[in-house]
Amino acid sequence: MTRASTARRLAAAAAYGGGGVGLAGAGVLGLLRLEARAARRRVEARTSKQDPPSGDGVYGRGRGKPLVFTVLGDSSAVGLGVERATETPGVLLAAALAELAERPVRLIRLAVSGAESCELDPQVERALAKHPDVVLIMIGANDVTTRTRPAVSVRHLADAVRRLRESGAQVVVGTCPDLGTIRPIGQPLRLLARRWSRQMAAAQTIAVVEAGGRTVSLGSVLGPSFAQDRSLFSVDEFHPSAAGYAQAAAVILPALADALGVWPAPTGRRRQRRGTVRPVARAAARAAGRPGTEVRATEVRGSVEGPLGTWARLLRRRPTELPTPEEAGEAAEAVEIPVG
């Protein structure tokens, strides 16, 4: 079975609430539990108990009302694993958005380390009170490690996206990263973690696109390159380092900027490649295994629905060069604003 057909099968299973849980027989289950406990102890022993500074404030110079950018999700959205606010994904993206939009951007980080999808509701409530223009959600890894069924996880995520979209905010979701690259996880658990991660990412994409948002695949971004370059991990070997967060932010930025209408138009005439528009389940399956793939709803002959469900477009933009954390700190003028 090819990788693409496997991903399609996982996406279809996730869409209908199945798949994934019964991958291991009873004889292997005990070994998996032992490996999981050992990996968790090793990671928790090295993980910082304190989140990095939020970096909340207004970034960029210029006139006009600042764009409001809120960041929701788990420790990956918090930036756990780094020490400075300028190394977190929220600050990196806020500074870059301010440059692209040529107007100030107000960053409000509401993400909570350890959060699962079922815990998004209070974050959404706080975000709605801030009237965001664009929202980034990064979540899913904790749902995988707790073996929450994808159908349960994505229902909470879809509700969050739907509420935010109804308020007028644009929503971008960075899908579940590839947990199969985590060094403390041994085999065969590592193989299963990769499969479960892709299943979750595919299910997230289906749910988010149908709720009116767009997704960016982080599985491959935090996958092969992370497996080969250990400097992209922080000391706990689970969360990204400053360089790792910068790489993830560079992949997310085009989708955020495009959602706001500030991503530069491509130069010259670029024809869309055939096969970039697909039913959402197939698009989700494709995106789960391809780095930095963006998926959003689209129309075909004036209709958003086809015989196999919502139409979706896959985009793979070339990541832009983000400023380094040091450059972001020097170039972006941050003014602390209480977020309540």
Side-chain angles (χ1 to χ4, degrees):
M1 183 177 290
T2 66
R3 181 179 300 178
S5 62
T6 300
R8 278 193 288 273
R9 177 176 58 81
L10 292 174
Y16 295 101
V21 178
L23 290 174
V28 181
L29 205 53
L31 172 61
L32 294 178
R33 287 184 178 136
L34 288 173
E35 287 185 349
R37 283 197 291 267
R40 183 178 294 275
R41 285 196 299 268
R42 179 174 172 182
V43 169
E44 289 180 347
R46 298 184 178 187
T47 300
S48 172
K49 303 302 185 288
Q50 185 173 1
D51 289 343
S54 68
D56 288 353
V58 177
Y59 291 80
R61 301 175 178 85
R63 298 179 179 180
K65 183 180 179 181
L67 293 167
V68 179
F69 170 41
T70 62
V71 180
L72 315 184
D74 56 22
S75 57
S76 62
V78 168
L80 193 64
V82 299
E83 297 181 355
R84 296 182 295 174
T86 52
E87 298 172 327
T88 62
V91 171
L92 290 169
L93 288 166
L97 286 173
E99 184 176 346
L100 288 170
E102 298 182 341
R103 60 184 288 191
V105 172
R106 180 187 180 193
L107 169 66
I108 304 172
R109 191 187 78 190
L110 302 174
V112 178
S113 291
E116 298 176 35
S117 298
C118 64
E119 298 170 299
L120 278 174
D121 189 64
Q123 296 185 34
V124 172
E125 288 289 342
R126 295 181 64 193
L128 291 174
K130 304 301 178 181
H131 307 290
D133 296 289
V134 63
V135 180
L136 170 66
I137 303 176
M138 299 173 70
I139 204 157
N142 294 317
D143 296 86
V144 172
T145 59
T146 58
R147 294 304 301 129
T148 303
R149 290 179 60 210
V152 174
S153 299
V154 300
R155 183 172 66 248
H156 292 286
L157 178 58
D159 287 344
V161 173
R162 194 173 294 110
R163 293 177 64 197
L164 291 164
R165 290 291 292 127
E166 288 173 352
S167 76
Q170 296 294 327
V171 182
V172 176
V173 174
T175 57
C176 182
D178 181 0
L179 299 183
T181 63
I182 307 304
R183 180 174 288 183
I185 299 177
Q187 296 290 13
L189 183 57
R190 184 179 296 180
L191 176 62
L192 294 178
R194 170 165 289 124
R195 192 176 301 180
W196 289 332
S197 300
R198 288 192 175 185
Q199 179 188 27
M200 182 64 72
Q204 288 177 321
T205 294
I206 295 169
V208 169
V209 171
E210 291 185 341
R214 60 179 77 190
T215 63
V216 177
S217 171
L218 295 183
S220 296
V221 174
L222 308 188
S225 57
F226 270 48
Q228 296 166 12
D229 186 354
R230 309 315 296 183
S231 69
L232 297 176
F233 279 107
S234 63
V235 68
D236 65 12
E237 298 184 293
F238 185 87
H239 295 93
S241 63
Y245 281 122
Q247 182 166 321
V251 171
I252 294 170
L253 176 61
L256 283 173
D258 186 66
L260 289 170
V262 299
W263 185 250
T267 57
R269 293 185 177 180
R270 287 187 180 179
R271 298 175 60 185
Q272 286 287 342
R273 293 180 298 174
R274 295 179 61 184
T276 55
V277 175
R278 302 182 181 188
V280 65
R282 293 181 180 174
R286 181 71 167 173
R290 293 177 69 84
T293 302
E294 177 186 336
V295 182
R296 57 180 172 82
T298 191
E299 293 184 0
V300 175
R301 300 185 184 92
S303 176
V304 297
E305 294 284 338
L308 298 179
T310 303
W311 289 114
R313 182 177 295 280
L314 293 95
L315 298 170
R316 295 187 69 205
R317 298 185 179 92
R318 180 175 298 176
T320 187
E321 288 292 330
L322 281 178
T324 65
E326 291 76 15
E327 292 169 341
E330 295 173 359
E333 187 175 66
V335 180
E336 291 297 326
I337 298 177
V339 295

